[in-house]
Amino acid sequence: MTVIERFLKYVSFDTQSDESTEVTPSTPKQMVFAQYLKTELEALGLEEITLDEHGYLFATLPSNVEWEVPTIGFIAHMDTSPDMSGENVKPRIVEKYDGKDVPLCAEEGIVLSPKQFPELLDHVGEDLIVTDGHTLLGADDKAGIAEIIGAVAYLKAHPEIPHGRIRIGFNPDEEIGLGAHKFNVEQFGAKWAYTMDGGEVGELEFENFNAASAKVHVKGRNVHPGYAKNKMINSLLVANEYARLLPADETPATTEGYEGFFHLIGMEGEVEQTQLSYIIRDHDRQKFEERKQLMLSCAEQMNEKYGEAIVTVELKDQYYNMRQQVEPLMHIIDIAFAAMQEAGVEPKVKAIRGGTDGAQLSFKGLPCPNIFAGGLNFHGRYEFVPIPSIEKAMIVVVKIAQLTAKRYC
């Protein structure tokens, strides 16, 4: 089975995570996919295969060299984003993309266009895998899973390629920030690892956002609207007033690079009660803490205005910038950099405007930079992945294993 055949099979599994369930995995369908992957790993003849009750799947490719090589790992997540349906995904291959609009669903006028997504033009002449416009694709991160298993299968088929002991790990619930929470680093037993969870071909990342979630609770007071003067407090209006206190130019749509943001991701309520859901992001830890404090200060300002505690903010840190954990071990970045070059890929070292399981794992004692998986426009109907990008990512995994073994020869 080729790496592309694996990927097309994997996206047929609906594996959306759900932050509301408070169980791990957050959805039972992720376990269905994990059990399928377990049978694949068994068929490949891997060793030390374990699948725990929380959906964490580990396996080992034993070393094929006589000298001592540090155990390294490759990790990807099984869930897809709750932002859009991952049920009944219907991938389609666009052969030799010509640089024009790609109709995803002609009947409904859903089009993947380089006018909105100019990165398409970087892949003219390549075969692309796209959606039918009604679901996400699932390259985040089933491309990563396909690349890791494809690389392990390749190494098994080519014993002449030297490599040390390799651990692979597939986990649930990355998309809701919980992928690493029950990841047993000690059991995994790697000296360092790489998450195959990046985007465009060539990306190599060891910096990410510091991240927190915020729930803003607004209590109102409902009174008959005909007699409401100086009595009613409409929580919906107060919530909107609170939102306007945050900087309008510090949102995902107005920032880039190292610029942080406040992102309003949900609003639900009525006159008596409203809840705003935010995520807070910043690469700089001090600025990150200042952002959280600003949200608290805005609540105090609203409470002072209305003369009572009607706005409360619940903050929860999700993960931190992995740079401080990886920087003392830059040889693991050097190995990945060299592996990309040997695979014919130009490395692009950049900061992630997001997070990966690798960030949390790095703080749990498993340094874990992030490598491209090849997909673009994640979490929506316009997601696509160039076939050469998946194939190159698989070769990068092979080269990392090979170069690590040679480094310690």
Side-chain angles (χ1 to χ4, degrees):
M1 187 183 297
T2 68
V3 64
I4 302 304
E5 289 170 337
R6 291 183 193 280
F7 174 69
L8 294 175
K9 174 64 177 178
Y10 298 163
V11 299
S12 70
F13 289 85
D14 178 13
T15 58
Q16 279 182 297
S17 46
D18 182 351
E19 67 177 351
S20 69
T21 64
E22 298 185 353
V23 296
T24 306
S26 63
T27 51
K29 52 194 176 183
Q30 293 182 71
M31 185 64 86
V32 173
F33 184 39
Q35 290 165 341
Y36 170 80
L37 292 175
K38 182 173 181 285
T39 64
E40 272 207 11
L41 300 180
E42 290 169 343
L44 281 173
L46 298 191
E47 301 180 5
E48 301 174 309
I49 300 172
T50 61
L51 174 59
D52 70 16
E53 69 274 22
H54 299 300
Y56 290 78
L57 176 60
F58 295 166
T60 299
L61 176 65
S63 172
N64 68 352
V65 298
E66 296 180 356
W67 61 91
E68 180 130 6
V69 180
T71 298
I72 64 172
F74 295 94
I75 297 168
H77 63 88
M78 296 179 289
D79 65 317
T80 58
S81 171
D83 291 350
M84 191 167 193
S85 174
E87 183 179 6
N88 196 26
V89 172
K90 296 178 180 177
R92 176 169 65 92
I93 296 176
V94 177
E95 296 183 351
K96 297 181 180 178
Y97 173 59
D98 60 7
K100 300 177 182 178
D101 288 356
V102 178
L104 301 179
C105 179
E107 296 81 4
E108 298 180 26
I110 303 173
V111 176
L112 177 62
S113 172
K115 294 176 183 177
Q116 284 77 46
F117 305 103
E119 57 270 26
L120 275 165
L121 299 177
D122 295 330
H123 301 282
V124 171
E126 299 179 359
D127 292 348
L128 311 180
I129 304 176
V130 301
T131 76
D132 69 351
H134 297 102
T135 67
L136 49 66
L137 178 60
D140 181 13
D141 189 26
K142 288 166 184 165
I145 295 174
E147 291 151 7
I148 293 169
I149 295 181
V152 168
Y154 187 88
L155 288 169
K156 287 277 291 184
H158 294 272
E160 73 277 7
I161 300 175
H163 62 82
R165 180 172 178 263
I166 297 170
R167 288 285 274 165
I168 65 176
F170 303 134
N171 58 269
D173 294 337
E174 189 269 355
E175 296 292 359
I176 57 173
L178 300 175
H181 281 214
K182 294 181 180 178
F183 192 109
N184 191 325
V185 168
E186 183 177 356
Q187 179 192 350
F188 192 63
K191 192 73 173 178
W192 71 84
Y194 302 90
T195 49
M196 301 298 296
D197 192 21
E200 180 65 275
V201 63
E203 287 184 1
L204 173 57
E205 303 151 327
F206 62 97
E207 294 182 79
N208 60 278
F209 277 138
N210 296 289
S213 64
K215 301 290 187 185
V216 181
H217 304 278
V218 183
K219 291 191 297 184
R221 183 188 305 127
N222 202 359
V223 180
H224 188 291
Y227 306 94
K229 186 173 182 180
N230 299 325
K231 297 176 184 177
M232 177 185 285
I233 298 176
N234 188 325
S235 73
L236 289 161
L237 296 178
V238 174
N240 276 282
E241 191 176 352
Y242 176 92
R244 289 195 297 270
L245 291 175
L246 297 174
D249 60 349
E250 296 181 16
T251 70
T254 59
T255 54
E256 62 183 353
Y258 283 90
E259 297 170 331
F261 56 74
F262 302 92
H263 182 25
L264 178 60
I265 60 173
M267 181 176 184
E268 183 178 0
E270 51 194 19
V271 173
E272 287 256 332
Q273 185 167 312
T274 297
Q275 177 175 285
L276 303 175
S277 297
Y278 282 88
I279 60 173
I280 306 166
R281 300 290 188 265
D282 209 298
H283 288 96
D284 184 282
R285 184 62 179 269
Q286 181 177 339
K287 291 180 180 178
F288 172 64
E289 297 298 334
E290 290 171 355
R291 289 184 183 281
K292 292 190 293 181
Q293 185 56 51
L294 177 59
M295 295 201 74
L296 295 172
S297 298
C298 288
E300 292 174 3
Q301 183 177 336
M302 295 299 296
N303 292 335
E304 184 176 343
K305 174 180 177 179
Y306 285 91
E308 54 184 291
I310 63 171
V311 180
T312 58
V313 179
E314 179 185 344
L315 294 165
K316 184 177 181 181
D317 285 2
Q318 295 171 311
Y319 51 83
Y320 302 111
N321 192 338
M322 75 172 92
R323 178 170 183 155
Q324 67 185 78
Q325 304 300 111
V326 174
E327 209 163 29
L329 304 166
M330 285 301 290
H331 67 280
I332 70 179
I333 302 299
D334 296 338
I335 290 171
F337 195 97
M340 288 187 189
Q341 290 179 316
E342 289 204 7
V345 173
E346 180 184 353
K348 302 170 185 175
V349 179
K350 57 182 293 188
I352 309 170
R353 283 186 61 79
T356 71
D357 290 321
Q360 295 181 54
L361 293 173
S362 293
F363 281 90
K364 293 179 73 170
L366 180 64
C368 202
N370 190 46
I371 292 174
F372 72 95
L376 297 100
N377 299 342
F378 293 149
H379 298 188
R381 70 181 80 241
Y382 301 107
E383 184 181 2
F384 72 95
V385 59
I387 285 178
S389 297
I390 292 181
E391 294 170 337
K392 288 175 181 177
M394 187 197 84
I395 296 301
V396 167
V397 174
V398 171
K399 291 293 184 180
I400 288 174
Q402 182 179 13
L403 289 175
T404 301
K406 287 183 176 180
R407 180 185 178 93
Y408 289 89
C409 180

